[in-house]
Amino acid sequence: MGVSSRPARPQPSRFDPYRSRVVSNARGMLHKARAGTLGAGRWVAHQWRSSLQFRVIAMTMLLGTVVVLLLGSYLYQQIADGLVTDRTRTATEEAAQGARAAQSRFDTADRTDPSSLSVLATDLVQQLASPGADHARDVILTRAMTNTRPAVVPTVLSGAVGMPSVPPELRRAVSGDTSHQHVQIISVNAPGTTREVPTVLVGSQVTLPVAGAYELYFVFPMQREQDTLEVVARTFTLGGLALVLMVGAVAYVVTRLVVEPVRRAAEVAERLASGGLSERMRARGQDDLARLAKSFNAMAESLQRQIRQLEDLSRVQQRFVSDVSHELRTPLTTIRMAGDLIHDSRDDFDPSVARSAELLHDELDRFESLLGDLLEISRFDAGAAALDVEATDVRDTVARVVEATTTLADRRGTPLQVEVPHRACVAEIDPRRVERVLRNLVVNAIEHGEGRPITIRVAVNPKAVAVTVRDHGVGLRPGEAALVFNRFWRADPARARTTGGTGLGLAIALEDAHLHDGWLQAWGEPGRGSCFRLTLPRRAGVPIERSPLPLTPDEEKPQKARVGGPYASLAPPGEAPR
Ligand SMILES: Nc1ncnc2c1ncn2[C@@H]1O[C@H](COP(=O)(O)OP(=O)(O)OP(=O)(O)O)[C@@H](O)[C@H]1O
Ligand SMILES: [Mg+2]
């Protein structure tokens, strides 16, 4: 009957709640320990990077530890060498004395009686082993390696150290040179322990009557020396540790003296940078830090003076612009009335005078709009511009702007295309200002759009509403997207203009956007056209996180699919809305 035995498969272990809890606890602790180590490592790295004081203290303690280690190990080695040399010297002297005494005892012994010779050897070894001195020592008497006479006296030991402890090379040396002592340092277990004690072993030869040459070894364990060295090592370790800590404490105190004023200077500089122009450092005494504080204060003083001067100058300029604009208004009104009168009766004049009347009328329009812009800018500069906020559907504002610019667009043959969501895009805005911003954007797009279609898009997200005006005209050269918002900046002042802009439109638009806590951004590339995006918060005081519409065509691509969905086109492409 064949019984086949298969190796037992490991059984799936049953769920053991206790074991699993222990394992999960252990994992948790391991995880915590790892996180703790990582956290501590990160803290040290952060402190190393950010705190000069930490760096100085750490470096000082590190260097202190290296110096203490080097110096400590050198001194320890010197002391150990000194103790061993000293012990070896006294050991060889004692051993020489002992060997001489033993030889003279053997010389005077009874030469014929082997048993009395054995007794004599045992007595002698015991006597030599305890000379009454404070150093314990052992003695071994054994037959020389070269002695071939029949053994008469067996090996005699005074203590626990036996022949196996004597190295063969020492024995060979003692046998080879019988006229000298031979010394070797070996390790021997301390009696009753497994601790090894360095031991001085001094060997020489004595001649016994009848028995011949015998080796006499003196064993001097350096227990005391080892104890002394242990005390020295302990003292050095504790002393070194205390020294390193003291060096660290000294470094802390010293760096604090230097770093603290530097930190204070940094804080004062930060406050100064964030507008606190009257911030100053405390400058006491005559030292380097006091000089630093004085120079810093002198610098802050000079900066404050210059900034005040600039502010005064700027205020004077603003006042001047504002005053001039106001002063010009009265004569302009009179000229306007006279101009209108002349313009209305131009048909009665001869053609050249009639043409002049028309030119005068147009230039007066420009003059009036420039004056209006200047007054608006001076209101912004004086901080007198205030928002007149009301909940407005931005789609209505856009529709009004489109209506107002249609005539100009038609004249330039530019199709205006509007894409707005079906649902209302209500936001808390100042409709008059937003309309002015959008009108300027659309007029700019018509003027620089070279007759190609212009797309005006509106979109909302929970926090913001955005309007983009995209044209496919001349576009902006690299760097111009930031310059367009500068006052009186025009890409090409000589460019043919129909309405004759002054370069203030986008500067005012940007101020309007900022007044709303909104964004006004520009993108453009030569030949690809431009896009201007106005993003405003839907609720006053709730900051914008991101704009609902893309600014550049590259950002636009992934969102294209949405255009057909929630958007409605007010006018089909290529046809201007009426
Ligand atoms: N869509 C655009 N494409 C190309 N360049 C533009 C566009 N919009 C503005 N710019 C450039 O930015 C300049 C400044 O525009 P801004 O609206 O501030 O002034 P303006 O249109 O010249 O005059 P204003 O708007 O005061 O009547 C323009 O002169 C033009 O060079
Ligand atoms: Mg403009």
Side-chain angles (χ1 to χ4, degrees), residues 18 102 140 232 240 273 281 407 418:
Y18 175 72
I140 304 170
V232 167
M281 273 180 76
T407 326
V418 183

Side-chain angles (χ1 to χ4, degrees), residues 97-150:
Q97 260 178 19
R100 270 199 303 277
Q103 189 60 65
S104 65
R105 283 286 299 278
F106 282 130
D107 288 346
T108 55
D110 184 352
R111 289 161 184 266
T112 50
D113 181 7
S115 62
S116 70
L117 196 59
S118 270
V119 173
L120 171 67
T122 313
D123 284 352
L124 194 65
V125 164
Q126 290 305 334
Q127 276 172 23
L128 289 174
S130 40
D134 50 354
H135 286 297
R137 68 187 188 197
D138 278 335
V139 177
I140 304 170
L141 181 71
T142 188
R143 214 157 78 99
M145 284 165 91
T146 48
N147 188 349
T148 48
R149 294 189 200 178

Side-chain angles (χ1 to χ4, degrees), residues 445 448 455 469-476 522-525 527-532 551 553:
H448 306 286
T455 313
V469 180
R470 170 87 167 95
D471 67 70
H472 298 85
V474 289
L476 297 169
W523 167 89
E525 267 180 33
R528 286 182 75 191
S530 331
C531 183
F532 285 77
L551 177 64

Side-chain angles (χ1 to χ4, degrees), residues 19 62-63 77 90 116 124 343-344 385:
R19 188 170 166 271
L62 210 71
L63 290 177
Q77 199 55 49
T90 52
S116 70
L124 194 65
H343 187 256
D344 291 346

Side-chain angles (χ1 to χ4, degrees), residues 449-566:
E450 303 192 313
R452 298 201 190 99
I454 292 167
T455 313
I456 303 160
R457 227 177 252 167
V458 183
V460 276
N461 68 20
K463 296 222 166 131
V465 56
V467 183
T468 53
V469 180
R470 170 87 167 95
D471 67 70
H472 298 85
V474 289
L476 297 169
R477 285 192 290 263
E480 285 188 354
L483 291 176
V484 289
F485 300 107
N486 288 353
R487 293 175 185 183
F488 297 110
W489 187 88
R490 285 191 284 171
D492 179 8
R495 209 186 267 170
R497 305 290 305 252
T498 45
T499 58
T502 54
L504 279 174
L506 285 174
I508 294 176
L510 188 67
E511 295 283 359
D512 275 330
H514 286 171
L515 213 58
H516 281 89
D517 287 330
W519 308 337
L520 180 62
Q521 293 148 305
W523 167 89
E525 267 180 33
R528 286 182 75 191
S530 331
C531 183
F532 285 77
R533 177 174 72 181
L534 175 71
T535 313
L536 301 171
R538 292 187 69 180
R539 292 184 64 94
V542 179
I544 305 168
E545 279 162 7
R546 66 182 185 86
S547 181
L549 281 173
L551 177 64
T552 68
D554 307 324
E555 291 171 41
E556 206 170 334
K557 269 167 200 145
Q559 305 209 5
K560 264 255 152 80
R562 285 174 49 200
V563 172

Side-chain angles (χ1 to χ4, degrees), residues 167-219:
E169 63 267 23
L170 182 64
R171 292 200 68 187
R172 274 196 295 277
V174 171
S175 306
D177 180 2
T178 54
S179 56
H180 287 99
Q181 283 180 309
H182 297 272
V183 185
Q184 193 168 353
I185 294 174
I186 57 165
S187 280
V188 172
N189 280 353
T193 63
T194 53
R195 225 172 111 228
E196 293 206 324
V197 179
T199 301
V200 185
L201 197 59
V202 187
S204 55
Q205 232 180 50
V206 287
T207 312
L208 268 64
V210 185
Y214 267 70
E215 293 164 9
L216 182 64
Y217 293 103
F218 286 87
V219 182

